[in-house]
Amino acid sequence: MIYLYALIVLSSLGGGLALLLLIADRFLADYGPCEISVNDEEPFVVEGGCTLLEALYEQEIFIPSACGGQGTCGFCKVNVFEGGGPVLPTEMPYLDKSELADNTRLACRIKVKQDVVLRVKPEYLDIQQFRSIVIAAKMVTHDTRHVVLKLADEQEINFVPGQYIQVQVPSSDGITFRAYSISSPPSTKDEVELVIRLIPDGLGSTYLHEVEVGEEVIFTGAYGEFVLEEDVETELICVGGGCGIAPMRSIIRHIGDVSPQRKCKLFFGVRTMEDIMYLEEFEQLADEMSNFEVHYALSDPKHSSPWQGERGYIHESVAKHVNGDGNGNRQAFLCGPPLMIEAVTKVLEEKNVPKDLIFYDEF
Ligand SMILES: Cc1cc2nc3c(=O)[nH]c(=O)nc-3n(C[C@H](O)[C@H](O)[C@H](O)COP(=O)(O)OP(=O)(O)OC[C@H]3O[C@@H](n4cnc5c(N)ncnc54)[C@H](O)[C@@H]3O)c2cc1C
Ligand code: FES
């Protein structure tokens, strides 16, 4: 018994000490001005104590940070050569051996306490901040909202289909960000359409479900490394689950604009009829685009008896409609929950779609 008391006392003391150190570091530590040098450019100065991600943002260097700096997306990778301190255990799950060897770090995990020398991908320096006004918004299912943002100040956004933006979300700790795929085609440069599924108590999704027509939304972009093969001979296989339909809509509307004869298959998996969105729009596109096929499948048909279409998981639909002969060029883009991505990737590999031509975004 005495050991148990000793253990409780020691743990409480340890916990209390850690808390005190945290408070002291947050409110009392004064690191003074620190110089940040990015890609050999003239250094800029920030007040120490912020994260490297915040320091870069302040300097209008908008690196990918889909989780808003929570350390859960692993997107905010930069190469830190000086001043980053040791790699933290919270960074390890996101860094492989070669990244550890080339000083890759997560910018949101590094606290600026001294001068820092780092390198970011040069294309990040082109990412801009945009001010926009909500010009339309409507629910497209029971939990998903379609929002149209009109860029203010005569700004235009250049992006490729499949890319996403990061919306500034007000929070009690200041401003944070969340990533949302662009659902409109790149030919529309002064507007951005988004498709947002409401996550209960979710900061970003609640904000974008509550923002009203006429209100301002700030975002940065465009982000994302998916590059659509523009060769019209390359057949495109798009597979979306839930809000994963958003980037598919951009890709397919782009193909409708530039090469409507191109072979393209869209697979969209949802649970029930209540979750179906944009089906009429895609069916109309299929009437106009002779080589475009639309396959929707419901995985939980018990609530959806009137549904005449396919039932089952979307990877089963892919297995049914994608041929396995390996002839011709094919590129696949998958977007949705990790389990869907895993199952569809397996099917596509079995159908001889080369692994390096299967691209995906998990969310
Ligand atoms: C590249 C990229 C593109 C994206 N595009 C879209 C898009 O087009 N449309 C869209 O709606 N979302 C998209 N997302 C997801 C989006 O960025 C947010 O993660 C999502 O809106 C939840 O954020 P939140 O602030 O509302 O919830 P948070 O405040 O971050 O989370 C609140 C709680 O919900 C949990 N949670 C978070 N996400 C989920 C989830 N998906 N399911 C269940 N529980 C969850 C969290 O663990 C937490 O407990 C994208 C993500 C990425 C990385
Ligand atoms: S891990 Fe998401 S922003 Fe750093």
Side-chain angles (χ1 to χ4, degrees), residues 53 65 67-69 71-76 106 108:
L53 180 68
S65 46
C67 71
T72 54
C73 69
F75 283 22
C76 58
L106 297 188
C108 73

Side-chain angles (χ1 to χ4, degrees), residues 36 50-57 78 80 106-112 116 118:
I36 314 279
C50 60
T51 67
L52 187 54
L53 180 68
E54 290 164 340
L56 293 172
Y57 194 86
V78 295
V80 179
L106 297 188
C108 73
R109 298 295 91 195
I110 293 178
K111 192 162 189 173
V112 178
V116 182
L118 74 143

